[in-house]
Amino acid sequence: MLTFSEFLQSRKKPAILEQASYDVLLHQIAKCGQEISLQLRRSGFLQLGQAVGIANVQSEEVLALDLIANNMLINEIEQSGAALGIASEEMEDIHVYSAEASEEEKFVVLFDPLDGSSNIEVLAPVGTIFSIYAVPKGEALTLKHFLQAGREVIGAGYILYGSSTMLVYAEKGHVNGFTLDVDGIFKLSHENIQTPKTAHTFSVNQASYHRWPEAFKKFVDWCGSIDNKKVFSQRYIGSMVADFHRNLIKGGIFLYPPTTETPKGRLRLMYECIPLSFIQHQAGGLSTDMVQSILDIEPKELHQRTSVAIGSYDLIQKLLSM
Ligand code: AHM
Ligand code: MG
């Protein structure tokens, strides 16, 4: 079994990733995943799911492990020497490590340190989601390096803390999954992941059905229609990264439609939707905000929200035809 490290050494990588420090950056993120996974195994003792009494930029309650994971990622990514800065779902502004132009290619990392963190106290899966973009050599870091469209992503992934912990990592043309073994090392367990083209699972919070645009209502009605030759299952954990992972492996579609209260959608473009869409596209699936692919949206702000549908090719096409 290839370790994550051996896999990185053996993969065919684009010229831009030739410099060794990019892989060090990935190792540092994986290291955070190992540490967060350990902490989660003991969350009941550590009260990691408790609120720390502050709200983040999204006006959401910050939990203890949100903060721990966020700080860990900031520090470990800096250690790699490969990143000029980071942006986090938990922080209002970018965090700059170095504002000076570099003589070699550098990177920025955007992350949701702990997606679905309200699930911690009920022991349901949560995850760390990240994407990495290049800062060309000779350019000093600015906000524009963070606000790049999803099609510019160099690498994206997530670490899912479920019944096992798995790191799923994608670059253009390939997606691979690495299970965290009992010796604390990520090892290749899911080689070259391709998502099924057709599937019969949909994931959505249906409580908002009456506040959705017509196309989403029609699609979900079609899934459950008695005339439908296939019987669909609805599966929704309330942790996007976990719902996404199930659908990636088994096929399915994840929906977070706009509602009358949140007409621009609720999930975050930069920290959740772009990285997961990038992975989905490399695995043969699709994503959309019902106007364009999520990867073609030109981001305007760090904490931009979007509606999203991500999943198997046939199901996205069906949704778009509604
Ligand atoms: P978070 O990043 O603050 O944890 O919030 C995002 C989560 C997604 O993972 C999940 O799909 C969604 O919020 C659940 O929202 P809802 O309870 O509206 O269905
Ligand atoms: Mg999140």
Side-chain angles (χ1 to χ4, degrees):
M1 254 181 303
L2 281 186
T3 63
F4 183 49
S5 176
E6 289 165 346
F7 167 84
L8 290 178
Q9 282 164 23
S10 65
R11 80 197 192 283
K12 195 171 174 298
K13 49 186 174 182
I16 190 176
L17 300 188
E18 279 305 331
Q19 55 171 297
S21 59
Y22 180 84
D23 290 358
V24 178
L25 172 55
L26 292 176
H27 279 298
Q28 294 299 96
I29 295 173
K31 186 175 162 194
C32 292
Q34 291 158 346
E35 182 57 34
I36 294 167
S37 181
L38 276 178
Q39 299 234 8
L40 278 164
R41 299 295 157 223
R42 306 190 65 245
S43 65
F45 305 122
L46 305 173
Q47 288 156 357
L48 299 173
Q50 292 206 349
V52 291
I54 52 172
N56 66 10
V57 56
Q58 335 274 346
S59 307
E60 295 161 344
E61 210 172 46
V62 176
L63 308 183
L65 194 55
D66 284 324
L67 266 191
I68 294 171
N70 193 55
N71 293 338
M72 200 187 293
L73 283 158
I74 293 173
N75 294 331
E76 295 295 342
I77 290 170
E78 182 172 21
Q79 297 296 317
S80 73
L84 292 184
I86 60 95
S88 163
E89 182 181 303
E90 297 297 337
M91 291 157 57
E92 188 155 3
D93 294 318
I94 57 173
H95 178 93
V96 177
Y97 299 134
S98 169
E100 279 173 35
S102 166
E103 282 170 17
E104 56 176 15
E105 214 89 43
K106 293 280 180 181
F107 302 92
V108 291
V109 187
L110 288 83
F111 54 78
D112 179 352
L114 211 59
D115 181 52
S117 52
S118 65
N119 270 334
I120 296 174
E121 60 176 334
V122 297
L123 314 187
V126 293
T128 299
I129 309 173
F130 64 93
S131 57
I132 304 169
Y133 296 90
V135 180
K137 52 187 163 196
E139 288 188 19
L141 186 66
T142 68
L143 185 60
K144 82 167 189 209
H145 295 111
F146 292 85
L147 297 179
Q148 300 190 55
R151 58 177 181 276
E152 307 296 343
V153 165
I154 302 290
Y158 57 86
I159 300 143
L160 178 62
Y161 314 102
S163 52
S164 291
T165 293
M166 190 187 289
L167 165 64
V168 174
Y169 176 66
E171 284 170 7
K172 287 217 166 83
H174 59 88
V175 184
N176 291 279
F178 305 82
T179 297
L180 185 61
D181 206 343
V182 287
D183 58 7
I185 296 174
F186 283 106
K187 295 175 189 165
L188 184 62
S189 54
H190 292 61
E191 194 173 357
N192 193 20
I193 297 171
Q194 286 292 305
T195 198
K197 182 167 179 282
T198 304
H200 305 100
T201 299
F202 67 101
S203 310
V204 67
N205 183 346
Q206 225 169 317
S208 298
Y209 178 93
H210 295 289
R211 301 185 186 91
W212 295 344
E214 278 307 305
F216 288 94
K217 291 183 187 171
K218 280 190 193 162
F219 177 79
V220 166
D221 290 348
W222 170 79
C223 290
S225 157
I226 190 154
D227 302 327
N228 205 333
K229 290 190 190 71
K230 292 288 177 191
V231 178
F232 272 72
S233 295
Q234 184 188 21
R235 296 283 181 269
Y236 191 70
I237 298 173
S239 186
M240 183 190 195
V241 63
D243 283 310
F244 174 86
H245 184 72
R246 184 200 44 253
N247 294 344
L248 179 74
I249 300 296
K250 293 182 154 185
I253 185 169
F254 174 91
L255 308 170
Y256 208 107
T259 65
T260 38
E261 283 79 17
T262 54
K264 292 182 178 165
R266 190 174 86 77
L267 296 185
R268 294 71 168 190
L269 177 65
M270 305 310 297
Y271 312 108
E272 295 164 333
C273 299
I274 285 181
L276 297 183
S277 297
F278 178 83
I279 297 165
Q280 183 70 233
H281 281 247
Q282 310 317 312
L286 292 174
S287 68
T288 181
D289 66 354
M290 300 304 279
V291 176
Q292 58 193 331
S293 160
I294 295 293
L295 300 185
D296 288 331
I297 298 174
E298 295 294 342
K300 301 274 185 301
E301 52 191 10
L302 278 179
H303 296 285
Q304 192 164 331
R305 311 266 182 156
T306 183
S307 68
V308 64
I310 307 186
S312 294
Y313 184 92
D314 288 352
L315 292 181
I316 296 282
Q317 295 294 4
K318 183 73 185 174
L319 171 69
L320 290 170
S321 74
M322 292 292 175

